[in-house]
Amino acid sequence: MGLKNTEYDFGIIAYDKRISFKISGDKLEKDKETKPFSKNYTLQKNPFLKIKDSYYTKTSDRAKEGAELAKVENSLAVNITKPKDFSINTYTSDNKYFYYTTHDKIVKLDDNLKEIKSSDYKNNLYSNQMVASNDSLYILDNHIIYKYSKALDFIEEIHPSSFDKAASYTNMAYSKGKLYISQNLKGKSSNGQYEESNTIIVYDIETKEENIIELDYPYPMQIYADEVNDNLIIQHYELYVPEDVWTVYSLKDGSQHQIELGKYRLADEELSAPFFTQKDGFYYFLMSDSILEVSGKDMKEKSYSFKDFDISYPNVLLIGK
């Protein structure tokens, strides 16, 4: 069970409660609160996918082995499903169906997480990231991109010429006919250490044309596409980037803006990427004791503190209607 009233501005799933807020002026006003759905489960922050009016993610139970899937309602109710193949590598949605990979399968589920179809995964290896275009699925396996139809038929292997065999590629996003792939690390230097990378590879699906985006900060990880403002939002690995920044890259003019999350962190906080979501061209970061809202149009920041509401380990943020 979740909240009876879903007319909120922010809904938070935390370790110790589920709580909703309305915005009053520049502050949060508590709306409704209920018990946690479970203190054992951890909901994965990324990807956190929307299909119709619900949200989907991979989860794990501290008391059990293997991954499960969670369907999160606007009411903050959480439904857990154990798939047949629970060693899930990566997953995505096309706003209608849910897809995931294991080491040897691709599986398609409906919005109730019931299996529709599965097929053999060609590479039989660990897949890093899967994204969906209008008619296809793309699976990044470090140095190869595998293209499948949404009926789970294999179409082709893509070998971008911009890929360096010595480098690491683990994260990818799709937007308006292009794939954006983060090069996390270059090859090893003369002292045997991996070198930092500032590079995003751009691959045009139709023309096969490739381009390079050079970022001001290194170690790009997760990439999110904002099609309202034509931006990319890029996480930099916070353990290697002391400034603890995310980059907003404009696909219109190539300008870069850094969101400095460090100033919204608690003192001596253990660093990890915050839960991120976006809606209508605004970006939202769920910090330990606040919600940071950033406008994708003019980069104005607004922080909403919930330190007075005694919330422990906030995990998931839903944006109200």
Side-chain angles (χ1 to χ4, degrees):
M1 298 292 292
L3 305 175
K4 291 183 178 179
N5 179 18
T6 59
E7 295 297 318
Y8 54 75
D9 291 311
F10 297 123
I12 293 174
I13 297 176
Y15 172 75
D16 58 341
K17 66 186 67 174
R18 288 170 288 170
I19 186 169
S20 62
F21 294 98
K22 291 185 178 179
I23 299 173
S24 178
D26 291 329
K27 295 183 178 180
L28 295 180
E29 184 179 277
K30 186 170 82 170
D31 181 37
K32 300 291 181 182
E33 180 179 333
T34 190
K35 296 178 181 179
F37 77 97
S38 171
K39 289 191 175 183
N40 287 330
Y41 282 96
T42 299
L43 301 176
Q44 185 164 299
K45 300 174 183 178
N46 182 76
F48 199 83
L49 307 166
K50 188 173 185 180
I51 304 175
K52 299 179 181 177
D53 290 324
S54 300
Y55 300 84
Y56 299 78
T57 188
K58 184 172 81 169
T59 187
S60 60
D61 184 340
R62 296 180 182 90
K64 298 177 183 177
E65 182 180 356
E68 295 174 291
L69 296 174
K71 178 180 180 180
V72 182
E73 309 286 356
N74 282 323
S75 66
L76 305 183
V78 182
N79 302 294
I80 302 297
T81 297
K82 187 155 193 151
K84 283 191 216 174
D85 304 302
F86 57 81
S87 58
I88 298 172
N89 289 335
T90 183
Y91 54 96
T92 193
S93 77
D94 57 5
N95 298 318
K96 186 175 181 182
Y97 298 106
F98 185 96
Y99 307 86
Y100 70 84
T101 65
T102 68
H103 72 283
D104 62 353
K105 294 283 186 185
I106 302 179
V107 184
K108 181 177 183 177
L109 309 177
D110 65 16
D111 60 334
N112 289 312
L113 298 176
K114 302 297 183 183
E115 184 173 321
I116 296 173
K117 184 179 180 181
S118 69
S119 65
D120 292 337
Y121 178 41
K122 180 177 176 62
N123 201 32
N124 199 31
L125 290 173
Y126 184 87
S127 47
N128 296 108
Q129 187 110 39
M130 176 166 54
V131 298
S133 68
N134 293 334
D135 55 6
S136 302
L137 302 171
Y138 296 87
I139 304 169
L140 175 64
D141 244 313
N142 203 359
H143 296 97
I144 303 173
I145 299 171
Y146 294 92
K147 181 177 180 179
Y148 279 77
S149 72
K150 290 187 178 179
L152 307 189
D153 299 315
F154 172 71
I155 298 174
E156 64 171 329
E157 289 185 15
I158 300 172
H159 298 263
S161 61
S162 302
F163 277 10
D164 181 344
K165 290 294 184 183
S168 173
Y169 304 91
T170 58
N171 303 99
M172 180 171 66
Y174 169 83
S175 179
K176 298 180 179 179
K178 294 180 180 179
L179 297 173
Y180 297 89
I181 307 110
S182 58
Q183 185 188 79
N184 314 121
L185 297 167
K186 296 180 182 178
K188 292 183 178 180
S189 63
S190 57
N191 64 5
Q193 299 295 316
Y194 281 99
E195 296 182 284
E196 64 182 39
S197 172
N198 298 57
T199 300
I200 301 290
I201 307 296
V202 185
Y203 182 85
D204 189 299
I205 290 170
E206 184 174 346
T207 67
K208 315 294 185 185
E209 181 182 354
E210 299 178 31
N211 288 291
I212 301 292
I213 294 173
E214 291 294 343
L215 301 172
D216 295 336
Y217 280 77
Y219 302 108
M221 298 291 288
Q222 298 291 345
I223 307 175
Y224 304 88
D226 166 19
E227 295 190 343
V228 174
N229 297 295
D230 213 13
N231 291 334
L232 298 178
I233 307 102
I234 302 157
Q235 171 212 355
H236 298 274
Y237 190 33
E238 58 280 346
L239 296 182
Y240 290 171
V241 180
E243 296 87 349
D244 190 14
V245 302
W246 287 46
T247 291
V248 180
Y249 181 88
S250 172
L251 295 171
K252 296 177 182 175
D253 59 19
S255 61
Q256 300 183 39
H257 174 85
Q258 277 73 46
I259 301 171
E260 299 178 7
L261 294 184
K263 60 188 177 184
Y264 299 102
R265 299 276 191 183
L266 297 175
D268 302 320
E269 177 181 344
E270 183 178 349
L271 290 181
S272 64
F275 180 94
F276 171 82
T277 189
Q278 59 178 311
K279 185 175 182 179
D280 300 331
F282 286 84
Y283 316 143
Y284 299 89
F285 299 84
L286 180 59
M287 310 304 291
S288 294
D289 69 346
S290 64
I291 298 167
L292 173 61
E293 177 189 270
V294 181
S295 168
K297 182 178 180 180
D298 56 20
M299 301 301 133
K300 288 183 179 179
E301 299 180 6
K302 186 180 292 185
S303 180
Y304 298 96
S305 173
F306 47 78
K307 62 183 179 182
D308 296 329
F309 299 102
D310 192 27
I311 299 173
S312 297
Y313 304 107
N315 185 213
V316 165
L317 170 67
L318 299 188
I319 310 302
K321 295 180 179 179

